[in-house]
Amino acid sequence: MTGIQNVDLRGFVTHSIMSVFDTMLSMKLAAEDPPQRESVTNGSHVVGTVGFAGKVMGNVNVFVSREFAREMAAAMLGMSVDEIYRMFPNLKERA
């Protein structure tokens, strides 16, 4: 086998996502089995894209709830969700 066939793609993507969350959000993730498709495709979600390059290059779409998206944004800004709501009160109306 050569090239992509030698890469543990699932392990590579899992490690990359965990590294991004740790570096950008100071959030430690634990690897789990993927959720049931229905839980991802039903309801409202925010979708973020994580790009990676190295032995393999590509993008992974991360589907999260609106609530968790707010927590992620707050972590990237070094603020709490409440602080963001105080700065931008109309965001709470859209919650």
Side-chain angles (χ1 to χ4, degrees):
M1 286 189 203
T2 61
I4 188 107
Q5 296 170 335
N6 288 331
V7 176
D8 170 16
L9 191 55
R10 182 178 181 162
F12 180 80
V13 170
T14 299
H15 174 74
S16 297
I17 296 292
M18 292 173 82
S19 177
V20 167
F21 271 73
D22 185 31
T23 302
M24 295 185 71
L25 306 172
S26 298
M27 292 181 179
K28 300 284 185 198
L29 298 181
E32 294 182 358
D33 289 332
Q36 295 297 317
R37 181 182 179 119
E38 294 77 27
S39 67
V40 176
T41 57
N42 292 334
S44 297
H45 294 86
V46 175
V47 181
T49 302
V50 178
F52 54 93
K55 291 181 183 178
V56 177
M57 295 183 346
N59 295 307
V60 174
N61 293 324
V62 180
F63 291 72
V64 298
S65 67
R66 289 180 181 193
E67 180 180 325
F68 188 60
R70 288 184 188 96
E71 291 178 32
M72 291 171 64
M76 281 194 282
L77 295 170
M79 303 170 75
S80 71
V81 174
D82 287 338
E83 289 174 300
I84 292 174
Y85 283 146
R86 283 194 294 275
M87 289 179 67
F88 304 99
N90 3 342
L91 286 179
K92 200 160 194 162
E93 295 170 9
R94 298 179 191 161

